Amino acid sequence: MNRCFGCVFIAYFIMACSGENRESNAEADNTSMEEQVKIELVRKDAEKKVEVLFNGELFTAYLYPETIAKPVLYPLKSAQGGLLTRGYPLEPRSGERVDHPHHIGLWLNYGDVNGLDFWNNSDAIPAEKKSGYGSIIHREINNISSGDDKGELEVTSDWIGPKGEILLTENTVFIFSAKGNKRMIDRITRLTAGEKDVSFKDNKEGMLGIRLARELEHPADKAEIFTDASGQATDVPTMNNEGVTGMYQSSEGLKGHDVWGTRAKWMNLPGEISGEKVSLAILDHPDNVGYPTYWHSRGYGLYAANPLGQKAMSGGKEELNFNLGAGESVTFKHRIVVYSGVHASEEMLDTDFGDFKGN
C-alpha cells in the first residue's frame, strides 16, 4: 500500500514538474519573441550608403564615397546607443584625437599590395604623392535583405592603382545579427586577383581595422593633439583621462599594451561609454591565412587584426609574403561582437568564438 502511494506521489510530482517546465518553456518562448530584433537595411544610393537599423535605430552604415579611399562601416553603436567609433574626420567630436585621417569606422585593406599602400590612403595625401597609393572603389550592391535578428548585405568593390588598373576584385558579405543586447557583424571577404599576380608584401599596416571612440582608448600620459568644442585641432599638453576606460584583453591572457604584436584567436576590449558597460570583440577564424592572427592594436585607439604582417609583429622571427596568382582568390572571415550592458568574460568570448568557428 505504501509502495503504491509512493508511486502515485512520484507520478504526480513528475506531472507537476512537466507542467511547470512547459510553462517555463512557454515563458522562455515569449521572452525570446519579445527580444527579437528587427534588422532593416535601407539603401540610400544618392548618399552612397546603406543604413543598418536595429529596431528602427541606427547600428551602423555601409559608406562608400570615393573621398575616403575605401568603403567603411561607420559609425558603430551599442544597443543603448553608445558610439564605439571615433567621429573624426567625418564627424569630429570634442575631445577626440585628430591623427591618422585614414582611420574611419571599420574597414579592411592593406599597406603593401603590389607595392601600393592601400592602408594609409586618404584625401590628406598630396596629389604629387598619390602615385604610391591604391584605392578601394565600391562597384555594386549584389544583395540586400532584412529580417528578424538577421540582415545581409553583399557588395563588390575593386582595388585599383593610381592609373585605374584593377589589382583585386573584392566580394564582401556582411551579416548583421542580434541576440538580446549583443550585436554582431560577420564580414566575409573574398579577394580575387585580376589579370596579373598580386603580392601582399609583409607589412605592419593591416588588415581589418576599427578606430575607437576616445572612451575606449587606453588612458594616456603624454601630450597629444585633439579636437576642441568647435572641431579645431588643438595641442593638449596635459592629458584628461576622465571617462577613458579601454583595456585590451586577448584570448591568450595578455592585457593592455602587451597585446600588440602577439597572436590570438580573439581580442576583447571592455570599457564604459556614458555609464554603459560595453565590450567590443574581434574574432579571427581558423580558415584565415595566418591564423591565429597577429594584433596591431594600439592604446591610442587603433584596433586591428593583421594576419599578413608578421615580420614587424614578431620582431623579425616570422615573415609572410602572401601571393595570389592571376585569377586566384583568398577569403578572410571575421566576426565583430558588440556586447551592451556587460563586460564580456573569457567564457563568453570562447563560446562566441566556438560558434563562429563552426560556421
Side-chain angles (χ1 to χ4, degrees), residues 131-148:
S131 61
Y133 294 83
S135 300
I136 303 176
I137 305 299
H138 168 88
R139 186 198 300 168
E140 61 183 324
I141 295 172
N142 304 315
N143 181 58
I144 188 169
S145 64
S146 304
D148 291 331

Side-chain angles (χ1 to χ4, degrees), residues 19-186:
E20 290 176 359
N21 286 338
R22 284 193 296 271
E23 292 176 1
S24 297
N25 289 336
E27 290 175 2
D29 289 340
N30 290 334
T31 301
S32 178
M33 291 178 64
E34 291 173 359
E35 292 179 352
Q36 270 191 339
V37 177
K38 176 66 176 178
I39 300 177
E40 183 181 10
L41 276 65
V42 181
R43 290 184 65 159
K44 296 189 174 181
D45 294 350
E47 300 175 47
K48 294 191 174 183
K49 69 178 180 180
V50 178
E51 292 184 340
V52 182
L53 309 178
F54 280 44
N55 286 338
E57 299 293 332
L58 183 69
F59 167 45
T60 189
Y62 173 76
L63 307 183
Y64 52 96
E66 295 181 12
T67 53
I68 58 177
K70 76 266 187 180
V72 301
L73 293 183
Y74 171 88
L76 285 181
K77 289 188 172 185
S78 70
Q80 296 181 31
L83 285 166
L84 307 176
T85 44
R86 181 178 70 167
Y88 176 84
L90 301 184
E91 299 171 317
R93 302 192 293 269
S94 178
E96 292 187 324
R97 299 175 189 266
V98 295
D99 57 80
H100 302 83
H102 50 280
H103 291 173
I104 300 173
L106 186 156
W107 70 95
L108 186 148
N109 58 11
Y110 195 63
D112 191 331
V113 182
N114 282 9
L116 297 172
D117 185 351
F118 283 79
W119 179 269
N120 290 289
N121 198 6
S122 75
D123 60 2
I125 302 298
E128 64 272 17
K129 294 184 178 180
K130 279 287 190 178
S131 61
Y133 294 83
S135 300
I136 303 176
I137 305 299
H138 168 88
R139 186 198 300 168
E140 61 183 324
I141 295 172
N142 304 315
N143 181 58
I144 188 169
S145 64
S146 304
D148 291 331
D149 296 330
K150 185 178 179 181
E152 292 190 19
L153 173 66
E154 181 181 350
V155 296
T156 297
S157 302
D158 291 324
W159 293 44
I160 66 172
K163 297 180 181 179
E165 66 277 22
I166 298 176
L167 280 66
L168 295 160
T169 297
E170 173 185 329
N171 182 272
T172 292
V173 176
F174 297 98
I175 303 172
F176 305 97
S177 59
K179 291 183 179 179
N181 283 337
K182 182 170 66 177
R183 299 176 168 188
M184 292 175 284
I185 305 169
D186 289 0

Side-chain angles (χ1 to χ4, degrees), residues 131-313:
S131 61
Y133 294 83
S135 300
I136 303 176
I137 305 299
H138 168 88
R139 186 198 300 168
E140 61 183 324
I141 295 172
N142 304 315
N143 181 58
I144 188 169
S145 64
S146 304
D148 291 331
D149 296 330
K150 185 178 179 181
E152 292 190 19
L153 173 66
E154 181 181 350
V155 296
T156 297
S157 302
D158 291 324
W159 293 44
I160 66 172
K163 297 180 181 179
E165 66 277 22
I166 298 176
L167 280 66
L168 295 160
T169 297
E170 173 185 329
N171 182 272
T172 292
V173 176
F174 297 98
I175 303 172
F176 305 97
S177 59
K179 291 183 179 179
N181 283 337
K182 182 170 66 177
R183 299 176 168 188
M184 292 175 284
I185 305 169
D186 289 0
R187 177 176 178 138
I188 304 166
T189 296
R190 186 179 73 248
L191 301 175
T192 303
E195 297 179 353
K196 297 180 180 180
D197 296 353
V198 175
S199 68
F200 297 80
K201 187 176 181 180
D202 197 302
N203 192 284
K204 175 173 65 69
E205 308 287 23
M207 183 175 194
L208 178 84
I210 302 174
R211 186 56 196 258
L212 302 166
R214 173 73 175 137
E215 292 91 334
L216 296 182
E217 295 177 13
H218 287 186
D221 57 5
K222 65 178 182 178
E224 299 284 359
I225 300 176
F226 292 83
T227 52
D228 62 17
S230 62
Q232 300 300 310
T234 305
D235 289 318
V236 179
T238 303
M239 294 295 296
N240 177 8
N241 288 312
E242 183 179 355
V244 180
T245 59
M247 188 60 59
Y248 294 115
Q249 299 174 356
S250 86
S251 61
E252 308 311 297
L254 298 177
K255 292 186 177 182
H257 298 290
D258 291 340
V259 306
W260 188 90
T262 64
R263 290 184 182 272
K265 62 186 180 183
W266 53 255
M267 188 69 66
N268 182 31
L269 179 64
E272 190 169 308
I273 299 177
S274 300
E276 176 194 6
K277 288 183 178 180
V278 298
S279 283
L280 177 60
I282 301 176
L283 315 183
D284 195 16
H285 195 283
D287 289 347
N288 290 342
V289 173
Y291 173 86
T293 186
Y294 274 102
W295 293 89
H296 184 24
S297 297
R298 300 293 200 183
Y300 68 78
L302 171 63
Y303 187 8
N306 188 354
L308 303 184
Q310 300 185 4
K311 188 173 182 179
M313 303 290 177

